[in-house]
């Protein structure tokens, strides 16, 4: 056995002894007690050989792990509309790709066992591949779709009254046949169906079900949104026992509830929220101390006092995980009686809160803090719009709020300090345009307006970030189990792709991709600020990032460049915040081993579940926005718009308009040339005219289709008169060629495009 063979064998033995552990090369180096750069290179070479032989796997972070033969893991299947899918089985490892023949009739969100047939190869930017060997559990028990009835003869023959077909692309190929034991919907009704049989080898494209709820006809106002809500498993109605519990809660603070709390009702607390906000879960106060520092007080509604652990309200809040905000409605995490009543920090009434007081120096560092249960009274309900006007010098509003103006100006000053401090450490400031969709009384989209974030919005955000970081660091340093909001370093290959896009804008990045920092990404955003490429850069960077999640491990927040971070400030609308409040109360009274063990055991499940529920809510919100944007654009078919190329693919270009609407120019609609995709340039290039379409490029497009049911928008590029003339001449020439070279054959506008992809 050669020296290197011996090293490879010893290296492999480390992995075999700890099959679940992930190692970095330096850790292997330390275990084998190797010294010097040459020895380290030999370690790296041995790892590369083992990885090449398929004996170990490597993830995107460069950590290695033993690759068991025919490894079988459990995870959640995420279906694609084209039949293939991915299985997510680990928070950090890449998802497993499952080709269409290997899905074993699994449908979206099924809990499955999957055999890894091909390990990941990060060097080639490829994740693992596998095949599903068992469906453990169908997470999807209900589905919403459009009902089509059978004739009397068909119904008698099949024992079914008709079928339901989903409008969701992932389920559109399935028919759910409806038994006659449930409700009897009408043609075109949107129906919630309880699934009684799932796809199998005998019936791979169908399911059986019972009609449980008719949402209304697909053309009725509001039914479109309600369909999306049910499709994404968002709970609409509260269980009766939860409603009963909420009715029993007093609508004002009682004498008993004041015991053990610090009364700070004399402090000038204010809420600042949107014009149409109904629930207020955070109030702030600020004054300058004698030493020149700022005293910032952030008081948060103490929802955990009313939503008692293990109660019906708590169970339902856990199941929902979050409130869901749609264009014309809010689906709350807790009943409106609480969220808009006793839990809301309405002005002029006492409310129970948890307060985080912070002393912040001129550099933006929290030098002292205190977290405690309190009673406050909001002195004013202010809006973002009015505070922005006050800070801009609106004399009427300044006169109306003169007692609060000095504090508001101090708040704006502190915000600037906090912002600079975050910016200095590398926090990425995502100023992504946000659209507000205006709907009429029937829920129909009539306008899309861009929301502008002024100083007041950013100011409140700064104060909430400061409180969240302070609370997280406080409990980390106490070595107590806690729930953190974590945002891990982005995948190396995605970062590489992002930097390649940035380079097409002329932006160069200093530093190593293998050791990417928030500061590096922040620099790219800064260099494109105020340019046509800004929107595209921000969007691309957001797609590059990992998804933030909840975890009992303090892994930090990459986007904020924060070492410790939690969610403490929104317990009315987020279950993790409610849990954080619950832990603060309990740790205030007890830090015994039994309590620590209890939370250490429960937090992983709470974090995973809350992260999942958050994704359901985000999916619903995005789907509704896409629906309403498409509905709005439906009235503008044939109109011409200015846009920016947001992304380029082999099948076309996605164009983003100024109002945030995104649509596709399919390659089949690019009729002036035959376009080929250049992967290195991330561009489509014309074969004859060498015209280039690349990310960030301004473009003029015509809206040719707005399919509300599929939530799809299609554009075509508006060509110059000269380009149109060339297209006409070329098509005329092609038409003549098809007719045997007869140039006298009249051209009648052949619609066949050059691109037949």
């Amino acid at each position: 056995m050669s020296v290197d063979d011996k090293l490879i064998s010893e290296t492999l033995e480390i992995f075999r002894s700890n099959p679940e552990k992930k190692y970095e090369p330096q850790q292997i180096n330390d275990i084998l007690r190797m010294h010097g750069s040459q020895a380290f290179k030999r370690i790296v070479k041995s790892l590369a050989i083992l990885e090449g032989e398929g004996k170990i796997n490597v993830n995107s972070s460069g950590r290695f792990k033993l690759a068991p033969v025919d490894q079988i893991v459990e995870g959640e299947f995420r279906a694609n509309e084209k039949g293939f899918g991915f299985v997510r089985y680990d928070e950090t490892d890449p998802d497993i790709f499952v080709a269409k023949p290997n899905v074993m009739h699994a449908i979206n969100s099924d809990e499955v066992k999957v055999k890894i047939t091909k390990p990941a190869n990060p060097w080639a930017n490829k994740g693992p591949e596998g095949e599903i060997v068992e469906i453990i559990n169908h997470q999807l028990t209900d589905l919403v779709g459009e009902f089509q009835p059978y004739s009397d003869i068909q119904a008698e023959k099949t024992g079914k009254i008709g079928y339901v077909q989903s409008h969701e692309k992932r389920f559109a190929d399935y028919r759910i046949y409806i038994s006659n034991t449930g409700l009897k919907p009408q043609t075109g009704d949107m129906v919630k169906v309880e699934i009684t049989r799932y796809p199998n080898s005998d019936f791979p494209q169908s399911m059986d079900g019972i009609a449980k709820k008719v949402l209304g006809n697909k053309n009725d106002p509001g039914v479109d949104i309600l369909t999306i809500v049910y499709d994404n498993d968002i709970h609409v109605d509260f269980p009766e026992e939860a409603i009963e519990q909420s009715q029993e809660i007093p609508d004002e603070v009682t004498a008993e509830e004041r015991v053990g709390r610090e009364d700070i009702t004399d402090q000038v607390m204010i809420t600042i929220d949107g014009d149409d906000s109904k629930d207020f879960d955070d109030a702030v106060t600020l004054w300058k101390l004698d030493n020149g520092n700022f005293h910032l007080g952030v008081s948060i509604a103490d929802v955990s006092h009313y939503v008692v652990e293990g109660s019906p309200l708590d169970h339902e809040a856990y199941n929902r995980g979050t409130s869901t905000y749609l264009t014309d409605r809010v689906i709350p995490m807790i009943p409106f009686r609480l969220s808009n009543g006793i839990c809301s920090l309405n002005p002029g009434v006492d409310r129970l809160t948890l307060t985080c007081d912070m002393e912040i120096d001129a550099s933006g560092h929290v030098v002292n803090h205190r977290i405690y249960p309190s009673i406050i009274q909001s002195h004013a309900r202010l809006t973002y719009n009015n505070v922005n006007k006050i800070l801009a010098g609106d004399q009427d509003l300044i006169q109306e709020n003169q007692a609060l103006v000095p504090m508001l100006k101090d708040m704006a000053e502190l915000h600037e300090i906090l912002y600079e401090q975050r910016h200095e450490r590398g926090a990425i400031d995502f100023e992504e345009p946000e659209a507000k969709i205006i709907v009429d009384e029937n829920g129909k989209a009539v306008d899309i307006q861009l929301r502008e974030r002024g100083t007041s919005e950013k100011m409140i955000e700064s104060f909430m970030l400061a409180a969240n970081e302070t609370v997280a660091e406080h409990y980390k340093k106490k070595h107590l189990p806690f729930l953190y909001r974590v945002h891990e370093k982005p995948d190396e290959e995605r970062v590489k792709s992002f930097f390649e896009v940035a380079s097409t804008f002329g932006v160069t990045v200093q530093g190593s991709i293998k050791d990417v920092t928030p500061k590096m990404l922040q620099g790219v955003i800064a260099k494109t600020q105020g340019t046509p490429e800004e929107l595209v850069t921000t969007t691309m960077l957001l797609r590059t990032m990992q998804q933030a999640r909840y975890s009992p491990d303090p892994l930090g927040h990459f986007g904020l460049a924060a070492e410790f971070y939690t969610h403490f400030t929104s317990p009315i609308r987020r279950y993790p915040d409610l849990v954080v409040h619950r832990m603060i109360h309990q740790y205030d009274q007890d830090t015994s081993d039994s309590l620590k063990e209890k939370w250490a055991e429960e937090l992983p499940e709470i974090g995973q579940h809350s992260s999942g529920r958050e994704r359901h809510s985000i999916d619903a919100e995005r789907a509704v926005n896409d629906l309403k944007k498409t509905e709005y654009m439906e009235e503008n078919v044939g109109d011409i718009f200015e846009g920016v190329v947001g992304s380029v693919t082999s099948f076309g270009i996605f164009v983003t308009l100024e109002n945030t609407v995104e649509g596709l120019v399919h390659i089949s609609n690019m009729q002036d040339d035959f376009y080929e995709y250049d992967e290195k340039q991330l561009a489509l290039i014309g074969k004859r005219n060498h015209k280039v379409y690349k990310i960030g490029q301004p473009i003029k497009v015509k809206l040719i289709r707005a399919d509300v049911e599929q939530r799809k928008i299609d554009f075509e590029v508006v060509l110059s008169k000269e380009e149109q003339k060339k297209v006409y001449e070329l098509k005329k020439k092609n038409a003549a060629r098809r007719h045997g070279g007869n140039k006298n054959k009249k051209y009648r506008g052949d619609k066949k495009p050059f691109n037949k992809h």
Side-chain angles (χ1 to χ4, degrees):
M1 182 182 286
S2 70
V3 174
D4 279 345
D5 286 344
K6 184 172 182 292
L7 179 59
I8 291 168
S9 178
E10 289 174 348
T11 303
L12 183 58
E13 192 55 38
I14 293 172
F15 288 98
R16 285 175 173 164
S17 301
N18 299 277
E20 295 302 316
K21 191 167 181 181
K22 298 171 187 175
Y23 293 96
E24 294 177 355
Q26 186 61 51
Q27 290 174 297
I28 300 293
N29 189 78
D30 294 343
I31 292 169
L32 293 175
R33 298 184 179 181
M34 305 283 280
H35 302 287
S37 60
Q38 289 304 314
F40 184 74
K41 286 179 183 177
R42 289 170 58 211
I43 291 287
V44 172
K45 184 180 178 182
S46 68
L47 290 170
I49 291 170
L50 288 170
E51 194 270 328
E53 292 174 349
K55 292 175 181 174
I56 59 174
N57 295 335
V58 60
N59 66 16
S60 58
S61 303
R63 297 165 75 197
F64 295 84
K65 181 182 174 183
L66 187 71
V69 178
D70 291 338
Q71 180 184 9
I72 294 179
V73 297
E74 295 181 8
E76 183 182 347
F77 179 65
R78 305 296 288 178
N80 182 280
E81 60 189 277
K82 294 181 180 178
F84 61 85
F86 295 87
V87 173
R88 183 172 191 169
Y89 71 102
D90 186 274
E91 291 287 357
T92 55
D93 287 345
D95 295 348
I96 302 165
F97 171 74
V98 182
K100 188 175 181 179
N102 300 324
V103 300
M104 208 184 88
H105 310 302
I107 59 174
N108 191 64
S109 78
D110 277 356
E111 187 182 350
V112 299
K113 285 184 179 179
V114 58
K115 182 170 77 173
I116 298 177
T117 55
K118 195 173 182 181
N121 182 1
W123 317 119
N125 194 23
K126 289 185 177 179
E129 297 178 18
E131 62 181 47
I132 293 173
V133 294
E134 182 185 340
I135 296 171
I136 302 169
N137 183 36
H138 294 291
Q139 301 281 359
L140 186 77
T141 56
D142 302 308
L143 198 62
V144 177
E146 182 180 344
F147 179 72
Q148 295 294 339
Y150 274 163
S151 66
D152 291 343
I153 295 172
Q154 284 176 303
E156 187 176 344
K157 184 178 178 181
T158 62
K160 309 290 184 185
I161 61 172
Y163 64 87
V164 160
Q165 203 152 10
S166 172
H167 289 179
E168 286 294 316
K169 289 177 282 188
R170 286 176 293 194
F171 302 111
D173 291 339
Y174 295 100
R175 285 186 175 184
I176 303 98
Y177 294 102
I178 307 303
S179 71
N180 60 8
T181 56
L183 301 174
K184 307 293 190 293
Q186 303 297 310
T187 304
D189 278 350
M190 298 304 293
V191 183
K192 180 183 177 183
V193 176
E194 179 185 316
I195 300 169
T196 57
R197 179 189 63 78
Y198 292 86
N200 55 41
S201 299
D202 294 329
F203 303 101
Q205 293 301 121
S206 70
M207 295 180 257
D208 290 341
I210 301 170
K212 302 297 286 187
K213 186 180 181 71
V214 176
L215 308 185
N217 186 275
K218 66 177 181 179
N219 297 316
D220 289 346
V223 171
D224 51 0
I225 290 181
L226 206 54
T227 298
I228 291 171
V229 167
Y230 278 104
D231 266 330
N232 286 279
D233 191 29
I234 308 296
H235 298 204
V236 177
D237 301 315
F238 282 93
E240 192 174 328
E241 56 269 28
I243 293 293
E244 287 175 0
Q245 185 189 345
S246 71
Q247 297 291 346
E248 293 168 1
I249 294 171
D251 56 9
E252 59 184 25
V253 176
T254 65
E256 294 82 5
E257 291 170 328
R258 297 174 183 272
V259 176
R261 290 179 179 269
E262 196 164 321
D263 189 324
I264 53 172
T265 52
D266 59 325
Q267 292 183 14
V268 183
M269 288 275 179
I270 59 171
T271 62
I272 307 177
D273 292 273
D275 291 346
D276 51 1
S277 296
K278 300 289 191 299
D279 54 59
F280 315 117
D281 51 14
D282 57 87
V284 291
T285 189
L286 185 112
W287 62 82
K288 285 188 175 178
L289 300 167
D290 293 339
N291 62 4
N293 290 346
F294 295 88
H295 172 99
L296 172 64
V298 175
S299 292
I300 307 298
D302 191 358
V303 180
S304 66
H305 175 82
Y306 300 102
V307 181
V308 180
E309 190 171 8
S311 67
L313 274 174
D314 183 43
H315 284 303
E316 185 60 18
Y318 173 81
N319 287 336
R320 293 178 179 228
T322 180
S323 297
T324 302
Y325 294 83
L326 308 174
T327 53
D328 62 349
R329 71 195 76 181
V330 177
I331 301 173
M333 186 180 77
I334 58 176
F336 284 124
R337 185 177 186 275
L338 300 182
S339 63
N340 294 5
I342 190 64
C343 291
S344 180
L345 307 183
N346 301 325
V349 289
D350 288 358
R351 288 292 185 257
L352 304 184
T353 49
L354 276 178
T355 295
C356 178
D357 283 339
M358 293 159 279
E359 181 183 343
I360 304 175
D361 66 18
S363 300
H365 295 102
V366 178
V367 294
N368 282 305
H369 72 273
R370 194 161 69 92
I371 303 162
Y372 57 95
S374 55
I375 300 174
I376 70 154
Q377 186 175 126
S378 171
H379 285 229
R381 181 270 199 259
L382 301 181
T383 66
Y384 291 130
N385 281 333
N386 284 349
V387 172
N388 286 333
K389 289 175 183 176
I390 288 169
L391 295 174
D394 186 305
Q395 290 304 311
D396 290 339
L397 285 170
I398 288 173
Q399 184 65 30
E400 188 181 327
N401 297 277
Q402 56 184 327
L404 300 175
V405 170
M407 182 172 74
L408 291 173
K409 289 183 175 179
D410 286 345
M411 285 181 169
E413 181 187 348
L414 177 59
H415 156 63
E416 290 296 332
I417 291 169
L418 290 171
Y419 175 81
E420 284 302 320
Q421 189 262 342
R422 289 199 310 275
H423 186 80
E424 189 60 33
R425 75 189 186 196
I428 304 167
D429 190 23
F430 290 106
E431 280 298 324
E432 188 185 20
E434 186 182 349
K436 181 180 181 182
I437 301 168
I438 310 299
V439 297
D440 63 17
E441 64 277 5
N442 294 317
K444 183 175 173 60
V446 293
D447 196 11
I448 300 175
Q449 299 174 357
L450 291 183
R451 297 180 193 264
E452 289 191 15
R453 274 166 35 93
T455 300
S456 66
E457 288 93 338
K458 296 175 184 177
M459 184 172 81
I460 292 300
E461 180 183 59
S462 282
F463 297 167
M464 298 306 115
L465 291 175
N468 285 335
E469 286 187 53
T470 300
V471 170
E473 185 173 5
H474 178 92
Y475 287 95
K476 172 63 177 71
K477 288 185 174 178
K478 280 184 171 290
H479 304 290
L480 295 166
F482 209 64
L483 189 61
Y484 298 93
R485 178 70 166 177
V486 302
H487 186 225
E488 291 150 289
K489 186 184 289 190
D491 176 83
E492 187 181 308
E493 287 301 319
R494 287 188 177 185
V495 172
K496 183 182 176 185
S497 299
F498 174 70
F499 285 169
E500 286 172 353
V501 170
S503 69
T504 66
F505 302 153
V507 177
T508 54
V509 184
Q510 302 297 322
S512 168
I513 291 174
K514 292 186 180 296
D515 192 26
V516 67
T517 65
K519 194 86 170 172
M520 290 163 64
L521 302 181
Q522 180 199 76
V524 178
I525 294 290
K527 287 174 183 175
T528 58
Q529 202 164 12
T531 70
E533 293 86 10
E534 181 180 7
L535 172 61
V536 176
T537 309
T538 303
T539 304
M540 288 290 292
L541 182 53
L542 282 168
R543 290 171 182 169
T544 301
M545 292 293 193
Q546 298 244 33
Q547 195 164 33
R549 60 188 177 90
Y550 297 102
S551 171
D553 301 315
L555 303 174
H557 197 293
F558 183 86
L560 294 171
E563 188 177 359
F564 309 108
Y565 195 67
T566 190
H567 271 169
F568 161 76
T569 53
S570 295
I572 287 177
R573 64 183 180 90
R574 292 189 303 229
Y575 192 77
D577 303 55
L578 193 155
V579 170
V580 163
H581 282 218
R582 196 169 280 159
M583 287 189 289
I584 290 171
H585 277 300
Q586 292 183 12
Y587 288 147
D588 196 35
Q589 304 294 324
D590 176 17
T591 55
S592 64
D593 288 344
S594 59
L595 182 64
K596 287 191 277 189
E597 286 169 10
K598 174 215 169 198
W599 283 116
E601 187 178 326
E602 292 181 7
L603 287 175
E605 172 59 31
I606 291 173
Q608 187 175 5
H609 173 80
S610 298
S611 299
R613 293 309 306 167
E614 178 185 35
R615 284 192 285 272
H616 277 276
S617 184
I618 290 171
D619 287 348
E621 289 168 2
R622 285 177 178 166
V624 168
N625 283 343
D626 288 346
L627 170 76
K628 291 301 168 185
K629 285 179 180 180
T630 310
E631 186 178 80
Y632 171 71
M633 295 299 287
E634 192 179 26
E635 303 294 323
N636 299 287
V637 171
D639 290 352
I640 292 171
F641 299 89
E642 301 281 351
V644 176
V645 177
S647 61
V648 181
T649 70
S650 60
F651 56 83
I653 56 177
F654 285 94
V655 176
T656 304
L657 307 185
E658 189 179 355
N659 63 6
T660 73
V661 168
E662 185 180 63
L664 173 68
V665 178
H666 195 272
I667 200 164
S668 62
N669 291 320
M670 300 171 71
Q671 299 187 25
D672 61 325
D673 203 346
F674 185 94
Y675 284 89
E676 294 178 329
Y677 181 59
D678 187 313
E679 196 169 352
K680 287 186 178 179
Q681 295 188 57
L682 300 173
L684 282 176
I685 302 173
K687 198 170 182 180
R688 296 182 183 87
N689 59 23
H690 306 296
K691 190 174 182 179
V692 177
Y693 290 102
K694 62 180 182 178
I695 294 171
Q697 179 178 321
I699 190 170
K700 189 179 285 187
V701 292
K702 179 181 179 181
L703 178 63
I704 59 173
R705 190 179 300 105
D707 187 334
V708 176
E709 195 168 287
Q710 293 294 317
R711 306 195 286 272
K712 281 184 175 180
I713 289 172
D714 291 313
F715 294 122
E716 68 179 13
V717 178
V718 176
L719 302 175
S720 67
K721 287 185 178 179
E722 187 64 30
E723 288 170 326
Q724 289 176 35
K725 186 178 178 182
K726 286 181 180 178
V727 170
Y728 179 83
E729 291 298 330
L730 198 54
K731 286 190 173 183
K732 186 176 178 182
K733 186 177 177 182
N734 288 340
R737 196 177 289 132
R738 285 196 298 274
H739 291 97
N742 182 1
K743 293 182 180 179
N744 296 319
K745 184 78 175 178
K746 190 175 181 182
Y747 171 58
R748 300 183 181 276
D750 186 351
K751 293 182 180 179
K752 287 187 179 180
F754 296 121
N755 300 285
K756 300 174 184 176
H757 293 228

